[in-house]
Amino acid sequence: DQQVKQNSPSLSVQEGRISILNCDYTNSMFDYFLWYKKYPAEGPTFLISISSIKDKNEDGRFTVFLNKSAKHLSLHIVPSQPGDSAVYFCAASRLNSGNTPLVFGKGTRLSVIA
Amino acid sequence: DVKVTQSSRYLVKRTGEKVFLECVQDMDHENMFWYRQDPGLGLRLIYFSYDVKMKEKGDIPEGYSVSREKKERFSLILESASTNQTSMYLCASSLTESNQPQHFGDGTRLSIL
């Protein structure tokens, strides 16, 4: 049973426009969420995170929104750049549960077209 | 900057061989993890470790074992490699505090022939 779902395997966006990547989760115990970005032949790199006490976290061109009631989060990239083309993974964990590993979604491949 | 180093970027082995994948981190992180990444399946956790000599099974431990004799090193062992273990293997580490992100190595692309 997939606890973290990224239902769009791929997304294409024009350069300069907004990219919106979505993620849904089923486990209501999750209270900390992260986005990772992965280029081919490299390991994932941490991008941005949000805890369940917030509904928005912003870092430069990247903003993550959390809707706890819908168990949904999204990553917005504005403006999108060709270098943003990568696979994006959503991940979730339980902050106060000690050493519980992250649960990852299957990823969304973003292509930013110049 | 955290550095997670995986010993090989590319590896080709034969069916039935015992395969060792090595991972070293330089930031004194307590937690270390092994994942495999396959197309359409995302990142799947194989094993993880919270301390030296400790290990926990992840979601897909079958056919694998691990070793953590020193804090900075976490080894993944394929006891008898099979073709369905051809994959990208990713090692990660993190501090114990739950809100600390995992830092990943660049991965080992392993092919079993």
Side-chain angles (χ1 to χ4, degrees), chain A residues 58-71:
Chain A
E58 195 171 348
D59 183 2
R61 295 186 298 114
F62 302 91
T63 303
V64 55
F65 295 91
L66 175 63
N67 182 335
K68 289 186 290 293
S69 60
K71 295 194 183 72

Side-chain angles (χ1 to χ4, degrees), chain B residues 19-72:
Chain B
V19 181
F20 293 85
L21 301 183
E22 306 288 346
C23 176
V24 177
Q25 49 93 5
D26 66 357
M27 284 303 291
D28 204 35
H29 284 175
E30 295 87 2
N31 305 330
M32 296 190 75
F33 308 84
W34 274 107
Y35 296 87
R36 61 179 282 178
Q37 183 196 4
D38 299 288
L41 297 178
L43 294 171
R44 294 183 293 167
L45 182 64
I46 304 171
Y47 266 98
F48 56 104
S49 168
Y50 294 131
D51 202 350
V52 175
K53 296 195 185 295
M54 293 187 69
K55 59 184 179 185
E56 298 278 348
K57 291 180 180 178
D59 299 318
I60 51 163
E62 296 79 18
Y64 303 94
S65 62
V66 290
S67 173
R68 188 139 182 230
E69 295 296 318
K70 293 185 178 181
K71 190 175 186 180
E72 67 270 19

